Amino acid sequence: MDGMGAALRQDSALRHATGEAGFIDDLPEVPGLLHGALVLSPVAHGRIEALDPAPALALPGVVAVFGPGDAPGRNDISASGAAQEPLFAEHLVEHWGQAMALVVATDRDAALAGAAAITPVIHALPPVLELAEAVAARSLLMPPQVLARGDVVAGMAQAPLTASGSFRCGGQEHFYLEGQIAIATPGEDGDLLVLSSTQHPTEVQHIIARVLGCAQNRITVQCRRMGGAFGGKESNASWVAAAAALAAHATGRPVKLRLTRKADMAATGKRHPFLFRWTAGFDATGRIAALEALLAADGGHSLDMTPGVVFRAITHALNAYDVPALRIEALGCKTNTVSNTAFRGFGGPQGVLLMEEIFRSIAAATGLDVETVRAKNMAGGENGDETPYGQALDGKLIRRVHAEALAASGWVERRAAIAAFNAEHPTLRKGLGSFALAFGISFGVMHMNQAGALVHVYEDGSIRLNHGGTEMGQGLFIKVAQVVASAFGVPVERIRITATSTGEVPNTSPTAASTGSDLNGWAAHLAASAIRERMAGVAAEIWAVEAGEIGFEDGMVRAGGNRQMSFGELAHACIRRRVSLSATGFYKTPDIHWDPVAMRGKPFFYFSYGASVAEVVVDRLTGEHRCLGAWLVQDCGRSLNPAVDRGQIEGAFIQGMGWMTSEELYWDRTGRLRSLGPSTYKIPGSRDVPPVFVTRILEGSPARAETIFRSKAVGEPPLMLATAVWNALCDATGAVSLDLPASPERLLAAIRAGGR
Ligand code: MTE
Ligand code: MOS
């Protein structure tokens, strides 16, 4: 079976393995192609006094140098349009590694030498590097967001016990295998074809048109696949492509801009670091009555998508739990660091940390077990199951998913075995932790919840599929092809998957917020259904039956009795009868709304639920640790493709574990990022995968929302399941509060501070 629910490979899996899958840098270079390299700011903050291109232009092969004054349109790459964000720094540099100019040359080495030859003259100013300093100074990129419910003051005053705390989590580098890249090729009369490794071809198109000051119809942006993106190619791809486009436009020659890994890490945004401060009122049973919290996000130097990240953090701060009275304030802070951006989970992974630390504190204060406190405050049961912004959670399902994760891990016996191990072992400490997740699915910006598709059936019955979604390894293209194959009742091989292009499906949203298959799956289904209906009409005419009697199955079209023909024969018959076999499909998520002033509404079409258990072991002498086991249960609705979904669950968990344990971005006191490659920035490797790694797609999911074939999004949520590793590390070391990443240094400090 290869329709819905079939465990098929990602469309290029084999070609990835053999190296045949083409990425932009693999394309043969056309004659006359120029290569670009960026001049990056050597200081974190300062006034630009001069940038002399002469030393670069004097080098062999260098053709031109472009700066902020060279944009025929606007030197503005703001994704939201809500603030001005320069393509090349103008007057002021605001972070170390900021793009100041682009050198183009006849080969890449010459371009890099040219960029290195330029020494901008900058009058240095004091930088703000610490998030806490930005919070204290109210250095903000955006108005604060406040989520409130009930009477917090009274709730806090009446609570028999209170506790307070603060902690922080770090950022995360996307570390996509394929770095940022674009090739811009001028065509006739000002046309530009841009190949971009982007999650958002439409934004690339729009921003290039803005920078060049031309109509959007001049610019065509294409992306066949990305070598990973993880949110890092949502807005950051746009400015990289805009720089290439600017140079192509000015020189009339094709321009390729591929960032070096170091430039990529220095100049492109990362996950937002967060600072949390909280006070909770609770009773001796561990039940929380009131909560006051501050969530501060480090947005870096410019706005980018920080409002969206802050929105997702604040709407996920209670996660799967219920607190009757609360006031949570969330800030998007400005510092002189790279502008932080989307990263798998988009503020959700940071938001959901809050309750975990509070549970540990309450457990320490009451002498209860963390799991008892967790259960006491979980949504549903005797507790409420409405989010503070007024959307219903499925408390029953949350409890069921969490219980299944505990059971899968053999929690009770494992606890006992760990206690026995720890009692016997002089230097090693094992720990166990769990986690439950309710992650909202939809873009927080309501109008972004739309998608389009374009389907053609040719005369031989072969089918060409195009839609606005992009493929970054997550398996979107095969899932949408499965949707179309099942609409036509043909094998999936009959569907030709094609590159995303603004020339085929216009005005699209980014492939992000895990909504790719929800949105594009529906759009493609609508397009395919429109064609199928016309085809059924023709078949009905041929056989003189009702259109409703026509069935599409196994590549055949049938109408009872022995009336049948192949799908290709019917396609041929349609052409002969002058019936169009091409259709667009358009989908917008129904039933979502948000009031940003009241901070209330139903912003999410539905929630994705998941739960996890992790077991770790920590070396008390070195602080080193390993995750020994992980048991994950993820609600995928009726999975469109369990093989792809399982890959997403496993990959996301490991990426989340990397963020929480080994990946540390290190800025020195001058604001220079010192972790600029795999030697200084440790992403998880194959040996970090827990030796016991059990992932389970929830069986019999209620799948209530009208999603495509009742499937659920899976791209981001399982990243948060790695929070169980953090909890397990705290359990092993006895830490109540533990900043992330939980590096060996931090774990040692926790152990020294009186932990176990
Ligand atoms: N999986 C792979 N292999 N590579 C990626 O870059 N990005 C993640 C997730 N899974 C990513 C991935 C992110 S951040 C998102 S939002 C979703 O995929 C986007 O795709 P989807 O909406 O089709 O799930
Ligand atoms: Mo994903 S962070 O929404 O691109």
Side-chain angles (χ1 to χ4, degrees):
M1 195 202 41
D2 53 21
M4 303 329 308
L8 303 183
R9 287 191 184 101
Q10 197 266 10
D11 80 272
S12 308
L14 285 178
R15 287 191 295 278
H16 286 159
T18 60
E20 289 166 286
F23 294 87
I24 292 173
D25 203 38
D26 296 329
L27 295 170
E29 293 180 352
V30 298
L33 176 89
L34 298 176
H35 295 259
L38 294 168
V39 177
L40 303 178
S41 170
V43 301
H45 192 202
R47 245 188 347 263
I48 304 170
E49 295 188 333
L51 190 147
D52 181 9
L57 292 170
L59 293 175
V62 172
V63 171
V65 178
F66 300 100
D70 296 313
R74 281 156 50 202
N75 179 44
D76 178 9
I77 47 124
S78 159
S80 61
Q84 242 225 285
E85 299 175 43
L87 168 57
F88 299 120
E90 219 171 326
H91 313 303
L92 208 59
V93 283
E94 297 205 90
H95 77 94
W96 179 86
Q98 186 173 358
M100 299 187 71
L102 176 75
V103 177
V104 292
T106 49
D107 65 82
R108 190 157 183 269
D109 287 346
L112 290 167
I118 292 177
T119 311
V121 182
I122 299 170
H123 175 85
L125 299 167
V128 175
L129 298 170
E130 284 297 320
L131 178 53
E133 198 184 328
V135 173
R138 297 287 281 191
S139 166
L140 303 179
L141 292 164
M142 48 173 274
Q145 294 180 7
V146 178
L147 189 60
R149 167 165 81 185
D151 190 341
V152 189
V153 178
M156 209 65 87
Q158 286 156 18
L161 297 162
T162 59
S164 299
S166 77
F167 68 102
R168 56 177 66 208
C169 64
Q172 187 177 21
E173 162 63 35
H174 302 85
F175 227 106
Y176 22 61
L177 284 177
E178 177 207 34
Q180 304 275 355
I181 183 167
I183 299 177
T185 305
E188 217 174 273
D189 193 24
D191 284 352
L192 205 58
L193 173 65
V194 181
L195 306 183
S196 165
S197 183
T198 177
Q199 293 172 254
H200 199 347
T202 287
E203 187 184 277
V204 173
Q205 177 201 24
H206 292 183
I207 286 182
I208 291 175
R210 187 200 291 159
V211 169
L212 297 185
C214 71
Q216 291 167 355
N217 66 5
R218 294 298 176 98
I219 314 296
T220 303
V221 179
Q222 277 182 18
C223 178
R224 170 59 181 88
R225 61 172 66 82
M226 286 162 272
F230 309 111
K233 293 172 180 170
E234 207 181 320
S235 61
N236 279 272
S238 305
W239 69 261
V240 172
L246 170 57
H249 177 83
T251 60
R253 291 166 70 171
V255 173
K256 169 149 81 174
L257 176 57
R258 168 166 73 81
L259 303 194
T260 61
R261 180 62 66 179
K262 277 187 179 170
D264 202 313
M265 290 186 78
T268 70
K270 310 179 190 318
R271 188 188 290 288
H272 289 61
F274 267 62
L275 175 69
F276 302 79
R277 290 186 186 136
W278 58 270
T279 301
F282 51 96
D283 63 22
T285 71
R287 176 73 178 127
I288 304 170
L291 168 64
E292 241 181 308
L294 173 77
L295 272 56
D298 186 344
H301 78 99
S302 73
L303 190 66
D304 191 73
M305 286 182 283
T306 295
V309 168
V310 165
F311 167 80
R312 197 161 274 276
I314 201 169
T315 51
H316 287 74
L318 277 198
N319 187 12
Y321 305 95
D322 174 61
V323 175
L326 60 101
R327 185 181 184 282
I328 305 177
E329 184 180 32
L331 307 177
C333 298
K334 172 169 176 152
T335 61
N336 292 110
T337 57
V338 65
S339 186
N340 289 316
T341 194
F343 197 134
R344 208 170 194 172
F346 204 70
Q350 296 95 320
V352 301
L353 298 176
L354 177 68
M355 295 305 287
E356 304 301 317
E357 150 127 345
I358 293 175
F359 294 157
R360 285 197 292 271
S361 251
I362 293 177
T366 55
L368 295 166
D369 178 81
V370 173
E371 292 310 313
T372 308
V373 180
R374 174 188 305 285
K376 192 79 195 165
N377 292 287
M378 204 169 258
E382 287 170 15
N383 298 331
D385 58 3
E386 193 181 273
T387 63
Y389 47 88
Q391 179 161 0
L393 287 169
D394 189 340
K396 215 170 126 192
L397 188 53
I398 292 168
R399 286 158 179 260
R400 181 185 145 201
V401 174
H402 187 248
E404 286 194 19
L406 292 185
S409 74
W411 179 275
V412 178
E413 305 78 48
R414 197 165 294 281
R415 253 269 162 261
I418 287 174
F421 177 92
N422 288 345
E424 260 171 33
H425 214 286
T427 57
L428 296 178
R429 285 290 175 278
K430 287 188 177 180
L432 198 60
S434 89
F435 180 72
L437 174 72
F439 189 78
I441 301 296
S442 286
F443 285 101
V445 178
M446 294 300 123
H447 76 81
M448 288 170 79
N449 295 290
Q450 57 170 305
L454 176 63
V455 175
H456 305 318
V457 176
Y458 293 100
E459 198 182 351
D460 63 357
S462 64
I463 298 161
R464 186 181 193 279
L465 166 63
N466 195 271
H467 55 79
T470 55
E471 178 62 54
M472 57 196 97
Q474 86 278 37
L476 175 65
F477 280 9
I478 190 68
K479 282 186 174 178
V480 180
Q482 285 173 268
V483 168
V484 171
S486 76
F488 285 123
V490 299
V492 77
E493 295 75 40
R494 189 75 71 86
I495 316 292
R496 192 71 195 151
I497 288 170
T498 58
T500 316
S501 168
T502 56
E504 295 197 49
V505 176
N507 308 319
T508 57
S509 289
T511 305
S514 305
T515 60
S517 50
D518 281 8
L519 297 176
N520 297 288
W522 260 130
H525 192 265
L526 291 168
S529 303
I531 298 172
R532 177 187 146 132
E533 212 165 289
R534 288 178 217 149
M535 292 178 81
V538 170
E541 211 177 282
I542 292 171
W543 289 325
V545 296
E546 293 296 313
E549 294 173 47
I550 309 291
F552 291 72
E553 213 183 347
D554 308 325
M556 298 300 291
V557 184
R558 298 192 179 94
N562 51 10
R563 280 174 299 216
Q564 65 167 34
M565 62 179 136
S566 72
F567 184 80
E569 284 169 320
L570 179 56
H572 178 77
C574 289
I575 304 300
R576 301 302 287 254
R577 280 174 168 74
R578 297 190 289 180
V579 169
S580 162
L581 293 184
S582 174
T584 59
F586 179 80
Y587 174 75
K588 54 183 177 185
T589 313
D591 194 27
I592 47 171
H593 51 91
W594 180 248
D595 178 344
V597 178
M599 291 288 280
R600 284 190 70 81
K602 186 192 171 201
F604 305 118
F605 191 32
Y606 61 92
F607 285 91
S608 160
Y609 298 106
S612 55
V613 170
E615 179 178 352
V616 299
V617 62
V618 181
D619 185 328
R620 295 188 67 242
L621 303 178
T622 64
E624 288 170 297
H625 57 87
R626 305 209 60 145
C627 180
L628 299 175
W631 296 266
L632 319 180
V633 179
Q634 179 65 43
D635 173 15
C636 300
R638 291 181 206 151
S639 172
L640 290 175
N641 182 328
V644 162
D645 285 359
R646 196 175 291 278
Q648 287 291 293
I649 296 167
E650 292 176 354
F653 177 86
I654 298 297
Q655 192 168 39
M657 192 173 79
W659 170 53
M660 289 188 225
T661 57
S662 67
E663 298 181 37
E664 182 152 32
L665 293 162
Y666 181 78
W667 276 272
D668 68 18
R669 258 177 293 173
T670 67
R672 181 172 162 193
L673 182 62
R674 304 308 292 257
S675 44
L676 283 175
S679 59
T680 43
Y681 185 80
K682 177 71 182 80
I683 61 170
S686 54
R687 284 185 299 167
D688 295 309
V689 173
V692 179
F693 196 17
V694 179
T695 60
R696 194 175 290 171
I697 293 173
L698 182 76
E699 276 172 34
S701 163
R704 291 191 185 90
E706 267 188 59
T707 52
I708 184 77
F709 292 100
R710 303 277 168 175
S711 62
K712 278 189 170 190
V714 71
E716 297 166 288
L719 182 137
M720 283 152 268
L721 299 186
T723 312
V725 176
W726 184 43
N727 290 339
L729 288 168
C730 290
D731 182 54
T733 56
V736 171
S737 186
L738 179 66
D739 288 351
L740 293 173
S743 58
E745 292 87 340
R746 290 210 175 88
L747 288 171
L748 256 192
I751 293 163
R752 297 258 162 87
R756 294 190 282 257

